[in-house]
Amino acid sequence: MTAAVAIESVHKVYSNVHVVNDLSLTIEPGEVFGLLGPNGAGKSTTIRMLTTLTQPTQGEIVVAGYDVIRQPFGVKKQIGVVLQQTSVDMDLTVWENMEFHGRMHHIPKDRRKKEIIRWLEYVELLDRRDDLVKTLSGGMKRRLQIARALLHQPQILFLDEPTVGLDPQTRRRLWEIIKGLNQQGMTILLTTHYMEEVEYLCHRIGIMDSGKLIELGTLDELRQRHGEGLLMKQDGDRWDYHFFPTMQDASAYLEQQPDKTGMMIRPSNLEDIFVELTGRNLD
Ligand code: ADP
């Protein structure tokens, strides 16, 4: 099966700064892939290259079977994109935003109407069809962006921090929407800072730092690689973390300590691994 996304030895250099440095990565059809990394790691630049908004300085990127440099229009037809900045037009209605996007993609009138209704219904915005976008809440605007990105029936959806700035309830609603799309067969690549988002949605995770992919795998694989048991030890006002292969190993170590003051054990999570790898917190 052709990969949904194939990135081969890709570099992006902005005025002598290596923003993406020798990135190779394959995403399979039907996957939800989460790209994590501290600010400035190169995640957005990677998404911008995958979605033809900027070209790689070096290397090859094939999306849905099309080369991003030689066949950008082929790529654009097959992808839906929701970037961080709200790109919907605030002074148009919900329907007009959808209509405009549908026309840009040359979707014939009858199908356009059917698809607009289908996707507005899916993101539960059909009852707001005649409202100006500027009157919608942040979560509704994000849902509209997703509906619009799906209108031309793409195979792959790119979501750059889809739930940033949204309250927990709204975030969960978006997760359901994203999960439902994946269950319908959509391949999804998202960037996020939220651990629960990764745990709930992503089959595989890639962690980037300083333009490089420094970790790749499922959450279980990452935990096995770094250690499933964690011992936390309070040292003044900071905590030291020690990974152990299993919880039993962490527990056995703790038992042997004559002074257990300020020590506790628990299963490791993605946040622990992220901090260990990047020296920074996820948020
Ligand atoms: P992330 O999404 O992981 O926070 P970005 O891809 O936005 O990271 O940015 C990675 C680095 O590239 C940052 O240091 C940023 O300042 C730099 N950068 C991004 N876009 C440009 C640009 N158009 N020109 C110059 N530098 C850029």
Side-chain angles (χ1 to χ4, degrees):
M1 211 190 312
T2 321
V5 173
I7 305 172
E8 186 66 45
S9 311
V10 163
H11 296 254
K12 180 71 185 179
V13 180
Y14 281 122
S15 43
N16 291 330
V17 181
H18 235 112
V19 172
V20 173
N21 192 348
D22 199 18
L23 180 67
S24 294
L25 175 66
T26 303
I27 297 169
E28 300 301 332
E31 245 193 307
V32 182
F33 188 90
L35 199 53
L36 278 84
N39 287 333
K43 306 180 296 294
S44 297
T45 306
T46 301
I47 290 217
R48 289 174 62 79
M49 289 192 288
L50 293 172
T51 54
T52 76
L53 294 173
T54 187
Q55 290 194 354
T57 312
Q58 198 186 312
E60 194 177 62
I61 302 179
V62 177
V63 175
Y66 295 95
D67 185 288
V68 292
I69 296 176
R70 290 191 295 275
Q71 302 160 299
F73 292 109
V75 174
K76 279 182 190 155
K77 273 191 188 157
Q78 302 300 335
I79 62 170
V81 185
V82 178
L83 297 179
Q84 277 177 49
Q85 319 84 298
T86 315
S87 53
V88 281
D89 194 321
M90 301 290 166
D91 294 318
L92 296 181
T93 65
V94 166
W95 188 276
E96 285 165 347
N97 265 281
M98 296 292 280
E99 177 71 18
F100 184 67
H101 183 84
R103 287 186 190 205
M104 295 282 283
H105 276 272
H106 307 292
I107 304 172
K109 197 173 169 199
D110 287 350
R111 212 184 88 209
R112 199 163 68 223
K113 190 173 170 198
K114 243 171 59 194
E115 289 294 316
I116 294 176
I117 291 172
R118 173 186 173 197
W119 291 113
L120 286 183
E121 213 159 36
Y122 183 69
V123 301
E124 297 171 33
L125 278 179
L126 194 56
D127 58 337
R128 304 295 299 260
R129 55 185 280 174
D130 297 322
D131 292 353
L132 291 177
V133 171
K134 62 183 166 201
T135 67
L136 303 182
S137 69
M140 287 175 184
K141 284 188 193 115
R142 205 62 59 84
R143 268 153 42 209
L144 174 59
Q145 277 180 285
I146 292 177
R148 197 185 56 169
L150 295 166
L151 195 57
H152 56 285
Q153 298 179 301
Q155 290 178 32
I156 309 169
L157 185 61
F158 292 90
L159 303 166
D160 197 5
E161 303 208 20
T163 64
V164 75
L166 301 178
D167 63 70
Q169 212 181 343
T170 312
R171 183 174 296 156
R172 288 199 168 269
R173 197 145 165 223
L174 269 173
W175 290 354
E176 294 302 334
I177 288 172
I178 295 168
K179 195 161 210 155
L181 287 171
N182 178 247
Q183 281 161 354
Q184 293 168 41
M186 180 79 68
T187 307
I188 296 167
L189 189 150
L190 59 90
T191 69
T192 181
H193 278 114
Y194 300 115
M195 190 174 68
E196 314 90 287
E197 191 155 295
V198 174
E199 285 174 346
Y200 189 75
L201 289 175
C202 299
H203 301 122
R204 275 196 314 150
I205 308 149
I207 300 180
M208 283 185 83
D209 196 14
S210 307
K212 284 187 169 292
L213 190 69
I214 56 168
E215 188 54 284
L216 177 69
T218 64
L219 188 52
D220 282 346
E221 283 166 356
L222 263 56
R223 288 191 62 230
Q224 277 163 22
R225 219 170 282 157
H226 292 267
E228 292 176 9
L230 189 79
L231 175 105
M232 295 171 68
K233 188 173 167 192
Q234 197 163 19
D235 181 9
D237 55 3
R238 56 180 274 252
W239 289 88
D240 285 333
Y241 291 71
H242 300 277
F243 285 88
F244 290 86
T246 63
M247 273 299 283
Q248 286 90 329
D249 295 324
S251 169
Y253 177 87
L254 183 64
E255 279 310 307
Q256 285 164 14
Q257 302 310 304
D259 179 8
K260 301 181 181 57
T261 319
M263 290 187 189
M264 63 171 277
I265 56 168
R266 62 168 172 79
S268 66
N269 60 36
L270 182 60
E271 176 103 36
D272 303 321
I273 295 168
F274 188 91
V275 172
E276 154 121 328
L277 284 170
T278 67
R280 276 164 280 189
N281 290 316
L282 267 171
D283 282 331

